[in-house]
Amino acid sequence: MGNLSAFFLTIFKRHKKINTSERLKEVMENQSSMEIPLPSMINGNDVFHSQIPPDDLNISKSKLTCNIIHNHNFSNGLHSWHANCCDVFLVSPSVETFDDHTQNPCKKKHHAVITNRNQHWQGLEQDITTRVSSGSTYTVFARVGVSGMHLEKEANVIATLKLEYQQSETKYLFITKTTVSKEKWEDLEGTFVLSDKPDRVVFYIEGPAPGVNLLIESVSIFGDGEIAPCVYNQEGNIILNPEFEDGVNNWSGRGCKIALHDSMGDGKVLPKSGKFFASATERTQYWNGIQQDISGKIQRKLAYQVTAFVRIFGNNVTSSSVRATLWVQGPDSHEQYIGIANSQATDSDWVQLQGKFLLNGSPSKVVIYLEGPPPGTDILLDGLMVKHAEKIPPSPRPVIENPEYGVNIIANSNLSDGTNGWFPLGNCTLNVVTGSPRILPPAARDTLGPHEPLSGHCIHTTNRTQTWMGPAQMITDKVKLFVTYQVSAWVRLGPGATGPQNVNIALGVDSQWVNGGQVELNDADRWHEVCGSFRVEKQPAKVMVYIQGPAAGISFMLAGLQIFAVDRQARFRHLKRQTDKIRKRDVTLKFSTSDSSSIHGATVIVKQTQNSFPIGSCISRSNIDNEDFVSFFIKNFNWAVFGNELKWYWTEPQQGNLNYKDADELLKLCNDNNIMVRGHCIFWDVESTVQDWVKKLNKQDLTTAIQNRLTGLLNQYKGRFKHYDVNNEMLHGSFYPDRLGPGSRADMFKTANRLDPSATMFVNDYHIEDGCDPRSSPEKYMTQILDLVQQGAPVGGIGIQGHIDSPVGPVVCSALDRLGTLGLPIWFTELDASSVNEYVRADDLEVMFREALAHPAVEGIMIWGFWELFMSRENSHLVNAEGEINEAGNRFLELKKEWLSHAHGHVDDVSEFGFRGFPGTYEVVVVTGSKKIVKKFVVEKGDLSLVVPIEF
Ligand SMILES: *[C@@H]1O[C@H](CO)[C@@H](O)[C@H](O)[C@H]1NC(C)=O
Ligand SMILES: *[C@@H]1O[C@H](CO)[C@@H](O)[C@H](O)[C@H]1NC(C)=O
Ligand SMILES: *[C@@H]1O[C@H](CO)[C@@H](O)[C@H](O)[C@H]1NC(C)=O
Ligand SMILES: *[C@@H]1O[C@H](CO)[C@@H](O)[C@H](O)[C@H]1NC(C)=O
Ligand SMILES: *[C@@H]1O[C@H](CO)[C@@H](O)[C@H](O)[C@H]1NC(C)=O
């Protein structure tokens, strides 16, 4: 068992902006009771930031496909379905076929015919009471048709929910409808959210006029992944004896024993389902557990979904993470560990473990196993399912009615009406005083343009006995789903208060804390801007905004709080103009012919084949075994960075045990395809990412190890990496200076530069551009860079990682403006955007790409991967696991296309043709008389107009 896997698998997903708090939930549910304390939200955030590095996550818990409809395609007859006051029968395609372009020839599909209908509401129904919960969003996807003598031309087909209550009247919830013409299958698509908990929930399809037959081929309803129970359907399961009905046959212990049980702990532990469960016992290592060999059953490049029920037992451990892991051996005996799923298991109940995986290469051996709890604690397993993942239809583009862009949703924001609309969260005191700025905070001004002045009134909050106490408002009814809100305010510490103190605009969205912007205040002498953004993507029951953060006893003031919907399209128009202005160049093609014949008047067609602006992606060793990945990558990117393969813990997991093989193989692929590469990273200052042997070194040995790392790596790859991230995330960690003193960072830069002067030495950090992390504000980043430069460090570039949520252009741009004053090139080094809705994800990416292209300081954009299941953040992929380009991917390709310049016209009387275009490679076609000549040329980057001689 390699230590390597131990290291990777202990690193889990970070939730950047969201924290859950039961306490907050209580406050939300009982908002009038002000005595309920909230934990310090800001400290909660710190835990997330410092413990979990953002760009190094190997566990991918992608959205699982849980179709809550039983027998969704009638493969099991009419089981689970019920015809309401009418009749239903099944037919196979050979009996009643009509135009069905998507009919899969290898799989004959049945469909249901609902007939003898004499009311429009009669149709086919299924009881889904136990499979839905309130608050979750469900997507309905059905394939329907109509037939029958009484059908005119077309008919409406409607999806409806019937909600029954013991205490009140039955309600009907319209979900969606579609118009279906004769002889055609249509998709019926829609979403619903239950706002309460009915006693019975029935889904049904209805609609056509009496006498018309309703045809249904399939019905799927997918929950949004977190709460939806996965139906335990054994169909397609490749695990043998999954429920231990055949004892522990086909199972074995990985470094431990396994046993069969019908109960444990004096009957306290009973099977989740069926009669038996199994335990992995006498475990002496965290990686010991129960396993099954599934070699030969997994096809490469197919996505599999995994579901299990797990629990822990014994050794006084009440809660521990339990993980499903795949051990894969390649044909060359190369071993790989793939994290599939990770859940917090307890000793008191079964929890569901679920995840997805995909193998890029052809494995010779594959074993799935459970691991995680401390030695001595048993892992219990009841049922394991591994099957080819169902495809989930993507959510439709959200429809936003009356977004009211730019309208402040805060009531009595300017406090002209006392504290009306506001309440103190906790037993603090709110008073309205005067003396605050009368202009809007800059980021709000940038978005909103000219605005009437603020009132000069502010809220002074005193008598705070907890960090979370401050002024608050309920904004539940004002927040629209999927709309990006910009947050902006002035804040200041109260008289006599001393810093540093954080002030945070917090959103309580049901039980979750969402960060709407955060700033660190060091003095009480002046007003500071706090800005940020947020978005809600799931119907909340309650949304509260509250301003919190300073230590208990510290009073603070708030003025001009603005929360408003952002119109991204309006800004895009400005950014497009700006991009044309700063990125394009005037080009004159000067034609000459060898025989001095005239080509005056000839038709010219100029076509750009490639834009040379650096747009790159993160890739990893396993990705390049997948030829589909490679083809998308080399077609669409001209730069690369390796996810982990160059990191110190990867190249030297144990001291002296060097591994450059993975990096070499990636580098070869890039070189062969003319792709430039960033070196990420030589060191990483966040302690949790430092490998054990390095942590154990004394000062002297650590100094030597650092020297060896630098010489080893930079000599090995001299001239091959164009950039190096010298010491990653120095605003979020200080492992090296803590041990070796403040000069150690500058020394790393100096040595690296001496060893490979051809590479640009970068700083690289996260949450620089979004306003939500006071530790990495643009000002702090600038101070750090100037400090390094002062100490002689040859800092040549600024890396902004760009793992962003709900980006707002002007907020990002203002960070770029400030950093841009240093005159160093800025790169987005690890950009990704996460949203379950692909359209929203596409919009976020577009915001970031457009801001970057339109800003003169930005010289390159790297995205942090694009393939589902191979990204560090969930719901951020551009290409689905099995190779289908999704909406976010399509948007990216559209933008790339927009950034190719084309022109056409005629050669003028001085044999020239002028146009304005992006740097890159071009093709020009000149048509004169019957001759057509094609030439290639290159436009280099530059400010001056360029003359390109084209000779024939
Ligand atoms: C599963 O276990 C049964 C019972 O021991 C055995 O007959 C069968 O061969 C096993 N299957 C595999 C693929 O090992
Ligand atoms: C478990 O904890 C209880 C109470 O904390 C203690 O009495 C008992 O000795 C512990 N058992 C083990 C095996 O550590
Ligand atoms: C506020 O509550 C704290 C305890 O939660 C208490 O110590 C303090 O006296 C209260 N202050 C006021 C003004 O009621
Ligand atoms: C303050 O807000 C009120 C409405 O809430 C508005 O009538 C008034 O004009 C505003 N005053 C200023 C100075 O913005
Ligand atoms: C609240 O603070 C103010 C001054 O900041 C003080 O005068 C007042 O007595 C305090 N009230 C309570 C209940 O502590």
Side-chain angles (χ1 to χ4, degrees):
M1 177 66 50
N3 275 343
L4 207 58
S5 89
F7 185 78
F8 302 138
L9 292 173
T10 49
I11 298 174
F12 302 123
K13 178 110 193 78
R14 162 197 60 155
H15 284 279
K16 276 196 320 167
K17 289 181 93 173
I18 292 179
N19 185 10
T20 304
S21 145
E22 280 307 309
R23 288 274 174 68
L24 174 55
K25 201 168 173 180
E26 286 170 32
V27 170
M28 299 298 291
E29 279 163 3
N30 188 6
Q31 175 233 312
S32 58
S33 154
M34 293 312 160
E35 296 302 314
I36 301 161
L38 280 162
S40 165
M41 298 305 178
I42 293 202
N43 290 339
N45 188 28
D46 266 324
V47 171
F48 286 110
H49 283 303
S50 58
Q51 295 196 338
I52 305 159
D55 67 348
D56 194 63
L57 308 156
N58 294 65
I59 302 270
S60 180
K61 282 202 293 168
S62 193
K63 181 156 105 172
L64 243 210
T65 54
C66 298
N67 187 352
I68 65 170
I69 291 290
H70 285 161
N71 184 24
H72 76 289
N73 60 4
F74 308 103
S75 56
N76 199 6
L78 285 163
H79 187 73
S80 304
W81 292 102
H82 172 70
N84 188 13
C85 305
C86 52
D87 295 322
V88 58
F89 60 92
L90 285 181
V91 290
S92 64
S94 56
V95 179
E96 187 173 346
T97 39
F98 48 69
D99 173 30
D100 183 4
H101 50 97
T102 66
Q103 189 76 48
N104 180 349
C106 12
K107 253 195 211 159
K108 288 212 160 144
K109 286 181 191 164
H110 294 283
H111 66 254
V113 179
I114 296 91
T115 186
N116 288 338
R117 300 174 59 257
N118 49 36
Q119 298 286 338
H120 66 87
W121 50 262
Q122 292 173 348
L124 195 65
E125 61 179 42
Q126 186 169 126
D127 186 326
I128 55 170
T129 314
T130 57
R131 289 167 260 149
V132 284
S133 48
S134 61
S136 298
T137 305
Y138 294 91
T139 306
V140 176
F141 193 84
R143 220 156 144 69
V144 295
V146 285
S147 73
M149 288 181 350
H150 301 281
L151 178 63
E152 308 252 291
K153 226 180 128 218
E154 49 187 36
N156 280 336
V157 177
I158 302 171
T160 309
L161 282 186
K162 183 171 159 193
L163 310 174
E164 295 178 6
Y165 301 85
Q166 269 165 13
Q167 309 296 342
S168 57
E169 262 178 50
T170 296
K171 287 195 285 201
Y172 294 88
L173 181 67
F174 165 83
I175 303 172
T176 181
K177 78 172 178 191
T178 185
T179 306
V180 186
S181 9
K182 217 168 181 165
E183 325 239 299
K184 248 188 130 166
W185 286 108
E186 290 291 342
D187 292 331
L188 183 63
E189 283 184 65
T191 60
F192 67 86
V193 178
L194 295 182
S195 52
D196 53 14
K197 187 89 189 95
D199 296 300
R200 187 160 178 258
V201 182
V202 177
F203 172 82
Y204 66 104
I205 295 190
E206 53 155 337
V212 174
N213 294 338
L214 180 55
L215 313 181
I216 304 176
E217 190 183 85
S218 68
V219 182
S220 300
I221 301 183
F222 297 100
D224 51 12
E226 284 164 43
I227 322 166
C230 257
V231 181
Y232 226 75
N233 172 354
Q234 287 302 325
E235 199 180 316
N237 194 357
I238 64 169
I239 295 294
L240 297 176
N241 184 20
E243 307 230 50
F244 306 101
E245 273 151 18
D246 196 13
V248 290
N249 282 337
N250 310 107
W251 294 93
S252 62
R254 189 172 187 81
C256 64
K257 296 208 165 120
I258 57 169
L260 184 73
H261 306 267
D262 52 10
S263 79
M264 268 175 105
D266 301 326
K268 284 200 205 80
V269 182
L270 294 171
K272 168 82 187 167
S273 66
K275 290 203 181 73
F276 303 104
F277 60 92
S279 69
T281 184
E282 297 180 36
R283 299 174 60 253
T284 57
Q285 303 284 336
Y286 81 91
W287 52 264
N288 294 157
I290 183 166
Q291 65 178 359
Q292 187 167 123
D293 189 328
I294 52 173
S295 307
K297 296 181 186 167
I298 303 294
Q299 274 186 56
R300 66 183 287 254
K301 303 202 293 177
L302 286 190
Y304 290 85
Q305 63 185 60
V306 175
T307 321
F309 282 103
V310 295
R311 183 168 175 153
I312 54 170
F313 184 82
N315 197 27
N316 270 2
V317 177
T318 55
S319 169
S320 162
S321 108
V322 171
R323 302 188 290 271
T325 307
L326 216 55
W327 173 75
V328 182
Q329 194 172 43
D332 54 356
S333 321
H334 177 82
E335 286 179 284
Q336 202 192 344
Y337 294 89
I338 298 172
I340 303 169
N342 175 26
S343 269
Q344 200 62 28
T346 70
D347 67 346
S348 59
D349 203 359
W350 295 95
V351 301
Q352 186 171 284
L353 191 61
Q354 58 180 42
K356 267 172 138 185
F357 71 87
L358 174 143
L359 298 182
N360 289 308
S362 307
S364 49
K365 206 161 171 40
V366 186
V367 172
I368 186 168
Y369 66 101
L370 297 178
E371 60 169 333
T377 299
D378 294 350
I379 301 174
L380 312 187
L381 171 65
D382 190 3
L384 175 65
M385 156 112 95
V386 177
K387 69 171 187 182
H388 182 211
E390 282 174 53
K391 288 213 165 62
I392 334 168
S395 315
R397 175 189 283 283
V399 181
I400 295 162
E401 275 155 25
N402 294 325
E404 299 188 303
Y405 296 127
V407 176
N408 191 5
I409 63 171
I410 295 297
N412 186 25
S413 157
N414 64 24
L415 304 158
S416 49
D417 191 13
T419 56
N420 247 349
W422 296 89
F423 64 87
L425 186 64
N427 64 359
C428 57
T429 311
L430 307 184
N431 280 303
V432 174
V433 297
T434 56
S436 54
R438 298 181 67 99
I439 52 166
L440 281 186
R445 229 177 321 161
D446 288 348
T447 310
L448 297 171
H451 196 270
E452 58 181 305
L454 299 175
S455 61
H457 293 192
C458 60
I459 299 185
H460 187 204
T461 307
T462 53
N463 310 102
R464 299 175 61 255
T465 54
Q466 299 286 336
T467 58
W468 49 264
M469 289 184 180
Q473 270 193 26
M474 296 308 295
I475 52 171
T476 317
D477 300 336
K478 297 175 183 165
V479 173
K480 296 192 162 85
L481 284 191
F482 291 111
V483 171
T484 303
Y485 288 93
Q486 182 173 340
V487 178
S488 192
W490 290 114
V491 289
R492 180 174 173 169
L493 292 181
T498 52
Q501 300 289 341
N502 283 347
V503 179
N504 166 232
I505 315 265
L507 286 305
V509 181
D510 293 334
S511 60
Q512 289 187 315
W513 168 74
V514 175
N515 183 348
Q518 199 164 186
V519 67
E520 184 187 280
L521 306 187
N522 287 300
D523 54 65
D525 304 344
R526 64 185 185 93
W527 288 88
H528 295 258
E529 174 186 25
V530 49
C531 67
S533 66
F534 72 95
R535 182 165 59 219
V536 177
E537 299 195 352
K538 254 167 70 176
Q539 187 58 54
K542 281 191 175 148
V543 184
M544 170 175 74
V545 58
Y546 60 106
I547 295 76
Q548 59 149 3
I554 303 282
S555 77
F556 68 90
M557 293 178 283
L558 166 79
L561 175 62
Q562 312 271 320
I563 297 183
F564 53 87
V566 179
D567 179 6
R568 291 165 155 186
Q569 292 304 324
R571 184 161 172 93
F572 287 171
R573 290 189 282 277
H574 155 76
L575 295 174
K576 281 184 199 172
R577 281 193 300 273
Q578 190 66 13
T579 300
D580 279 6
K581 195 169 130 201
I582 67 162
R583 300 289 173 195
K584 284 186 179 173
R585 185 170 190 189
D586 287 324
V587 181
T588 304
L589 301 181
K590 195 156 183 56
F591 299 98
S592 59
T593 48
S594 49
D595 58 359
S596 72
S597 63
S598 170
I599 56 161
H600 167 216
T603 303
V604 184
I605 301 160
V606 171
K607 213 178 116 191
Q608 186 168 19
T609 48
Q610 238 157 30
N611 186 325
S612 58
F613 185 84
I615 292 186
S617 174
C618 169
I619 58 177
S620 70
R621 176 58 196 85
S622 117
N623 287 146
I624 67 171
D625 288 337
N626 184 338
E627 55 281 7
D628 303 335
F629 179 99
V630 171
S631 121
F632 188 91
F633 168 64
I634 58 184
K635 192 161 159 218
N636 294 301
F637 299 96
N638 52 13
W639 277 71
V641 62
F642 309 158
N644 296 316
E645 288 79 352
L646 211 64
K647 285 174 183 157
W648 195 5
Y649 66 62
W650 193 285
T651 63
E652 197 175 359
Q654 284 101 26
Q655 190 162 20
N657 190 351
L658 292 170
N659 165 32
Y660 289 120
K661 186 166 173 279
D662 297 314
D664 287 346
E665 288 170 2
L666 288 166
L667 199 52
K668 178 170 187 314
L669 176 92
C670 294
N671 287 345
D672 290 351
N673 291 285
N674 217 1
I675 288 167
M676 309 283 148
V677 196
R678 304 191 74 244
H680 173 84
C681 48
I682 311 178
F683 300 103
W684 194 348
D685 234 339
V686 174
E687 178 153 356
S688 60
T689 70
V690 177
Q691 63 275 51
D692 279 344
W693 71 264
V694 175
K695 278 190 202 151
K696 287 183 189 139
L697 297 176
N698 65 29
K699 197 169 166 180
Q700 184 56 46
D701 292 343
L702 181 59
T703 309
T704 311
I706 288 173
Q707 281 305 317
N708 291 344
R709 161 71 172 167
L710 282 161
T711 353
L713 184 76
L714 281 92
N715 284 340
Q716 170 92 4
Y717 292 116
K718 193 163 181 154
R720 315 267 316 263
F721 291 101
K722 302 290 164 210
H723 300 167
Y724 277 107
D725 292 333
V726 177
N727 187 4
N728 203 27
E729 298 173 0
M730 292 183 285
L731 291 170
H732 292 93
S734 54
F735 177 83
Y736 296 100
D738 285 352
R739 279 152 190 83
L740 303 175
S744 54
R745 288 169 166 173
D747 288 344
M748 290 169 175
F749 274 84
K750 286 186 232 174
T751 311
N753 179 245
R754 188 166 44 72
L755 290 165
D756 189 352
S758 72
T760 306
M761 300 301 162
F762 270 73
V763 292
N764 191 46
D765 226 309
Y766 62 93
H767 284 333
I768 305 293
E769 75 288 20
D770 57 10
C772 80
D773 186 348
R775 288 170 304 169
S776 50
S777 63
E779 282 66 31
K780 285 208 174 146
Y781 209 16
M782 290 165 76
T783 304
Q784 180 174 73
I785 293 164
L786 289 172
D787 211 43
L788 283 165
V789 170
Q790 186 91 45
Q791 295 171 60
V795 179
I798 303 173
I800 299 180
Q801 293 184 0
H803 301 287
I804 199 163
D805 290 299
S806 54
V808 168
V811 174
V812 174
C813 183
S814 115
L816 294 174
D817 285 345
R818 281 176 275 172
L819 285 165
T821 59
L822 295 181
L824 292 171
I826 297 174
W827 281 57
F828 280 100
T829 51
E830 306 182 8
L831 181 65
D832 55 23
S834 168
S835 169
V836 274
N837 188 296
E838 290 168 7
Y839 291 91
V840 175
R841 193 186 315 159
D843 291 346
D844 283 356
L845 279 176
E846 183 170 351
V847 167
M848 295 305 285
F849 271 98
R850 289 203 184 282
E851 290 296 335
L853 261 286
H855 201 285
V858 177
E859 297 194 4
I861 308 168
M862 309 289 298
I863 61 172
W864 203 242
F866 52 86
W867 202 275
E868 186 182 8
L869 301 178
F870 294 92
M871 301 195 59
S872 52
R873 284 175 79 195
E874 273 177 69
N875 300 314
S876 59
H877 52 283
L878 312 187
V879 180
N880 297 345
E882 293 180 1
E884 179 193 5
I885 300 172
N886 63 27
E887 279 311 316
N890 285 334
R891 188 76 57 87
F892 168 74
L893 296 179
E894 276 164 33
L895 285 169
K896 295 254 316 176
K897 217 154 149 198
E898 183 185 315
W899 294 323
L900 293 176
S901 307
H902 304 305
H904 58 89
H906 299 279
V907 178
D908 66 13
D909 44 14
V910 290
S911 293
E912 290 180 354
F913 176 76
F915 71 98
R916 200 170 154 75
F918 291 107
T921 53
Y922 283 82
E923 223 174 63
V924 57
V925 181
V926 180
V927 185
T928 159
S930 58
K931 268 199 293 188
K932 177 176 155 185
I933 302 150
V934 183
K935 289 271 176 183
K936 289 189 162 66
F937 65 95
V938 173
V939 173
E940 303 286 355
K941 194 175 139 186
D943 295 330
L944 302 176
S945 79
L946 177 76
V947 178
V948 183
I950 307 265
E951 285 170 33
F952 298 119

